[in-house]
Amino acid sequence: MLMGLFNDWIVVVLMMTGLYIVIAHGNLIKKIIGLIIFQTSVFIFYISMAKVDGGTAPILADDILLYSNPLPHVLILTAIVVGIATTALALSLVVRIEEAYGSIEEDEIQRKDNQSQEENKEQA
Amino acid sequence: MIAHLPILQVIIPLMAAPICLILKRARLVWLFSLIVSGLAFCISILLLQQVMTSGVISYELGGWQAPWGIEYRIDKLNTFLLLIITAISTLVLFAAQTSIEKEIPKNKHTYFYVLYLLSLTGLLGIVATGDAFNVFVFLEISSLSAYALIAMGKDRQALWASYQYLIMGTIGATFILIGIGLMYQMTGTLNMEDLSKRLPEVAQTRTVFTAFSFVIVGVCLKLAMFPLHLWLPNAYAYAPSIVTVFFAASATKVAIYLLIRFTFSVFGLSFSFTTVPLQTLFMVLGLVGIFVASTSAIYQKNIKRLFAYSSIAQIGYMMVGFSISTVAGLTATLLHLFNHALMKSVIFLALGAVMYRLGSVQLNSFQGLGRQMPLTMTGIVIGGLSLIGVPLTVGFISKWYLLTALLERGWWPVAVLILLGSLLAIIYLWRVVEVAYFKEPLVNTVPVKEAPISFLIPIWTLIIANIYFGIDTRLSVQLAQAAAKSLFGISP
């Protein structure tokens, strides 16, 4: 059972690792990395689903009869592009946050927000 | 052309977005976006007429037959939501140029409209499609443009709010992706109609149960149900005002539509409510959400944040209506979708006008505003009365239907709790009204003028809509009831 479901075990391990990194780390870049690992586990899940025993890559060729299922491959191409766009957006947000707050640690940022809120209260 | 309406509804804003980059001048881009949004609104009306007369519209993209091709399926539920989203989008765009002049740097105005149109595309696409993976694609389109739009806010907290929303939103969308993958694994199809036919035979497997759980959790994160609501207050409070209006009125509604679509049309009634204890869960979480969010709203100093918490409470009402799982309960939820869009858009538009004139939405800068900006503050008052559920406003209609649905089921303790939740709304609304109308303006501030006409037109259209649809409820109730009955499989 272990070797037959090897791919599924990898999916579970990566998924949990990714989620743990997002939750446990305060560094913004590490959170993004955790998110990417989490998304990658989903990609592996879809691709493993697509594999047909004895089938080759789903590209039409004359003398090949058995192909893997091309639909999940297509879905994952879309999902990979979505993941890239999300990562790019997240990284540019981190650059802006670094410029605005001077830090990319979550607790530092929250401390600075609380500080400025208290200053606003004193002014008002 | 009429045959292609379903896809045109989604494609027109999508194609318009890059065209905005070519028309560089801000006023021209604004006018162009307004026309595109108005066109989308006209298409949604045509689709509504078509669905009401001839039933479900099924459109195959590229001529590929479903279930191999992607199908756009417009039925009574979709068309109701398309109407709401396009109507609010058009009204909001009226005030957009004026509002962003003071909130977004000049060189980013064009990008604002590009992102706005992309966000509109995403939301319309989620609603119009009949293919599960297409839902994920458009969900990500709307989410990514939302993150970028929120990050355009003035304060640096907008960046942090956008980042938080990005992390949570991506996890939610990926959960939905996992759920779709598991469903595909068991049935071999992505088409929602086909899934609903094939899922019942494999429904008792652990895979389908897991798929359902992942999809529900992912969608609940997107709709900001308690306790997955943590991204919403900051995202709404620090985004540019127009962005808040648009998202408050549409983004969470679309997520609730997704929830209804997946539980009723894909997984089916019996699986969703009997196999899984969804009823109790949603009712409890809905009620807790109402109380926690309303109580948090009372202590807020930032008025936008106050009404953001109020939005979370209103979503709690919709979840309670959904958990009743009768035609009456679903009618109440759908009605509240419509009415809440009206309520929140008028409130946030008025707050946008205040932000434009004052530059701040802190509670203490509201002093005396009732006399200085009377037309704008009427918007907040009427919207607030709607939130509480005073008769003659739309809020009363939703609450009435919700309470009758609850009492029909015999759940009168829940009905009592709903009424108590409305009392909390009175408290936080009174805080705003008291400061605005009963306190003298601060001595050393410049007197504030009334909001410009570009704000007043949409605000007053929405105020009149709030009262009109509270008195003549035929349109909203008929549509909501027809949609609810069609989901339950009862022919109207």
Side-chain angles (χ1 to χ4, degrees), chain A residues 28 38-39 46 69 75 100 124, chain B residues 133 156 163 170 177 181 184 364:
Chain A
L28 298 188
F38 175 54
Q39 286 178 325
Y46 268 73
N69 187 347
L75 300 181
Chain B
F133 192 76
R156 63 185 188 177
Y163 181 85
T170 310
L177 185 60
Y184 177 72
N364 42 18

Side-chain angles (χ1 to χ4, degrees), chain A residues 8 15 19 22 27-29 31-32 35 38-39 42-43 45-46 49 69 71-72 75-76 78-79 82 85-86 89-90 93-94 96-97 100-101 106 109-110 112-113 116-117 121 124, chain B residues 108 133 136-137 140 143-145 147-148 151 153 156-160 162-164 166-167 170-172 174-182 184-185 188 190 214 238 301 305 362 364:
Chain A
D8 295 314
M15 203 185 284
L19 275 178
V22 172
N27 186 312
L28 298 188
I29 300 288
K31 281 185 196 283
I32 298 175
L35 207 58
F38 175 54
Q39 286 178 325
V42 180
F43 304 158
F45 167 57
Y46 268 73
M49 198 204 307
N69 187 347
L71 182 59
L75 300 181
I76 289 308
T78 313
V82 168
T86 312
L89 184 54
L93 273 175
V94 173
R96 291 281 308 276
I97 290 179
Y101 284 91
E106 182 180 8
I109 294 171
Q110 279 176 337
K112 291 198 178 171
D113 268 342
S116 49
Q117 256 186 1
K121 275 191 210 163
Chain B
K108 293 196 186 154
F133 192 76
F136 170 72
V137 171
E140 288 291 40
S143 300
L144 285 172
S145 40
Y147 308 146
R156 63 185 188 177
Q157 281 104 322
L159 298 169
W160 176 237
S162 175
Y163 181 85
Q164 262 187 323
L166 189 152
I167 297 287
T170 310
I171 294 180
T174 315
F175 273 12
I176 297 178
L177 185 60
I178 298 173
I180 294 173
L182 287 167
Y184 177 72
Q185 204 174 23
L190 293 169
F214 268 115
Y238 298 115
K301 289 270 161 33
R305 221 149 176 268
Q362 297 293 326
N364 42 18

Side-chain angles (χ1 to χ4, degrees), chain B residues 135 139 171-173 175-176 212-225 228 231 251-252 254-262 282 319:
Chain B
V135 164
L139 184 66
I171 294 180
F175 273 12
I176 297 178
F212 185 67
S213 318
F214 268 115
V215 168
I216 295 295
V217 173
V219 173
C220 285
L221 210 152
K222 281 290 179 182
L223 68 92
M225 183 181 82
L228 302 167
W231 56 268
T252 41
V254 169
I256 295 180
Y257 157 79
L258 260 187
L259 182 69
I260 297 177
R261 182 59 80 197
F262 271 110
F282 277 177
M319 298 309 287

Side-chain angles (χ1 to χ4, degrees), chain B residues 394-463:
Chain B
V394 277
F396 175 68
I397 305 292
S398 326
K399 290 259 166 68
W400 177 258
Y401 273 86
L402 183 60
L403 288 170
T404 40
L406 281 170
L407 291 174
E408 196 182 85
R409 255 313 197 100
W411 290 357
W412 57 265
V414 183
V416 171
L417 288 171
I418 299 279
L419 287 172
L420 284 177
S422 305
L423 290 181
L424 286 174
I426 300 182
I427 302 180
Y428 61 71
L429 183 66
W430 178 247
R431 283 198 90 204
V432 181
V433 166
E434 182 196 13
V435 171
Y437 284 92
F438 294 102
K439 287 218 175 130
E440 289 304 317
L442 295 170
V443 196
N444 50 351
T445 49
V446 183
V448 179
K449 287 187 297 185
E450 184 53 80
I453 194 80
S454 54
F455 268 106
L456 288 177
I457 297 180
I459 291 179
W460 275 88
T461 315
L462 285 166
I463 291 179

